Amino acid sequence: MQAPICTTCARSGVLCPECRKKLENNEITKLDIELAGLLCKMEDKELIKGEASFERTIAVDSLLLVLTKGDIPTLIGRGGRVVRYLSQNLRKTVRVIKDTDFKTQVMDLIAPARLLGINIVYKPDGDETLIIIPKEDESKLVADLGTIEKAACLLLGNDNLKIKLK
Ligand SMILES: [Zn+2]
């Protein structure tokens, strides 16, 4: 298991000085610690095939994005088993996102809804990013439009973003 906290802390739930500092500096959250602990537990019980890893998480309302540079199928599990276990235990809808370029992140966020495009609208007071999704795919989103929009803003690191249904 690879996480923003060390394995010893993930296993015990008791933080070493280094991990404690990360928590105090808001580099990690309580959910990161909980998630890392659950992944360790799942590895011990051999409920995960391969090595699970994540870089960071983003929580928006009941949605938890888990960003990983590692193997996505490992974190999702066969038939979604891993992601379901995590969702139940964290009491959040867990969404695994590849920690890479913004477009790929958006596709992971909205799947199985389709991405028609990402447009940049140039405005004098700052450019606006438009994420365009087919209207008929709205019901396929894992959360309501407002939550998905907030999550996309946090992925982009910018509030000038809107989701447009077309
Ligand atoms: Zn530690």
Side-chain angles (χ1 to χ4, degrees):
M1 201 277 312
Q2 274 184 43
I5 68 165
C6 59
T7 315
T8 317
C9 292
R11 261 175 217 290
S12 64
V14 182
L15 297 186
C16 68
E18 213 172 298
C19 290
R20 179 167 298 278
K21 209 171 184 181
K22 281 188 185 173
L23 182 65
E24 283 164 3
N25 294 337
N26 295 316
E27 287 166 43
I28 56 168
T29 65
K30 290 223 165 91
L31 271 170
D32 290 346
I33 300 165
E34 226 180 305
L35 173 63
L38 284 172
L39 290 174
C40 280
K41 206 161 115 188
M42 291 187 84
E43 279 187 0
D44 291 347
K45 289 186 186 168
E46 291 178 9
L47 294 169
I48 288 184
K49 292 214 184 330
E51 196 188 31
S53 74
F54 71 96
E55 260 61 44
R56 60 193 173 114
T57 62
I58 294 175
V60 184
D61 302 327
S62 63
L63 186 64
L64 183 73
L65 309 183
V66 176
L67 285 100
T68 180
K69 287 192 164 76
D71 193 41
I72 297 249
T74 299
L75 273 181
I76 291 175
R78 209 196 320 160
R81 239 176 263 177
V82 174
V83 106
R84 236 184 347 263
Y85 181 92
L86 295 174
S87 295
Q88 279 163 6
N89 282 279
L90 296 168
R91 299 161 306 277
K92 299 256 181 206
T93 304
V94 171
R95 192 84 203 180
V96 180
I97 307 261
K98 188 92 189 162
D99 196 4
T100 175
D101 61 286
F102 181 64
K103 188 183 172 194
T104 310
Q105 290 178 346
V106 168
M107 287 169 82
D108 284 345
L109 172 66
I110 66 171
R114 292 162 292 165
L115 177 67
L116 290 180
I118 297 176
N119 291 351
I120 311 285
V121 183
Y122 297 97
K123 289 189 172 176
D125 54 342
D127 300 345
E128 188 177 66
T129 303
L130 280 182
I131 293 174
I132 303 157
I133 299 172
K135 200 177 269 171
E136 67 264 32
D137 284 7
E138 188 185 357
S139 58
K140 295 179 185 166
L141 296 170
V142 286
D144 62 88
L145 212 57
T147 304
I148 297 286
E149 199 171 76
K150 264 192 253 171
C153 285
L154 289 167
L155 284 172
L156 184 64
N158 188 327
D159 279 343
N160 284 331
L161 177 149
K162 284 207 169 64
I163 293 180
K164 203 177 153 191
L165 298 171
K166 198 170 177 180

